Amino acid sequence: MANRRSRREAIRDVASYIAQRVLAAAIGVAIYFCMARFIVIEQKDQIASAFFTIAGVVGVVAGFLGAAVFFVAGASGPSIERIRSDHGQNLNTVLLGTMAILMASAFGAVACGLFSNGYGAKAAMTGILTLIAYEVAVLGLALAVALKSESERSIPERETYPRQP
């Protein structure tokens, strides 16, 4: 029975994860439709270039985040061991999830750039940018919690040796 309950919890966690991301993207699309009539883009031929640039930047950030995942996985020392023991699984999940969302967003931005003349591409790009902002906020909160919990631990005093005259 315990195995069945943990499976339900895992399914609930995955559904919650997906629902939060879909909601963030939907909020971005809703913002676009509310603001579209107030925002005028004068250089419409530059929209595709902007989307491709955003895709490049998001891809680079995802690459650096991938390097951070490997750093956290390969680092050693008492501080990183404490962070791993307290927040290891959650921190890895957030880092890998954010990296996956950023990579998917980079590909989505390229797709929006290819179809930038359409009305839906701008709405989709706004949703992607809102999703990226949400993921970065979640990552920042996870790192802040992990690092704050590490700084609040008492650090044992080191032995001091008397100075030699």
Side-chain angles (χ1 to χ4, degrees), residues 61-143:
V61 172
F64 279 113
L65 191 58
V69 169
F70 285 110
F71 173 75
V72 169
S76 63
S79 295
I80 200 74
E81 293 299 327
R82 278 192 227 126
I83 289 173
R84 266 196 214 122
S85 68
D86 293 347
H87 306 284
Q89 186 60 38
N90 292 337
L91 191 58
N92 288 341
T93 302
V94 169
L95 285 170
L96 290 173
T98 302
M99 188 178 73
I101 293 293
L102 286 175
M103 291 303 286
S105 297
F107 289 119
V110 169
C112 289
L114 293 174
F115 301 105
S116 62
N117 293 337
Y119 190 63
K122 295 173 198 153
M125 193 65 203
T126 307
I128 288 171
L129 291 175
T130 308
L131 179 59
I132 291 170
Y134 176 79
E135 282 296 322
V136 170
V138 168
L139 177 63
L141 288 173
L143 290 175

Side-chain angles (χ1 to χ4, degrees), residues 21-44:
R21 274 65 186 176
V22 168
L23 181 64
I27 289 171
V29 171
I31 289 172
Y32 173 78
F33 284 117
C34 290
M35 300 298 292
R37 58 187 146 179
F38 302 114
I39 298 173
V40 177
I41 300 173
E42 294 196 15
Q43 296 179 340
K44 294 186 185 218

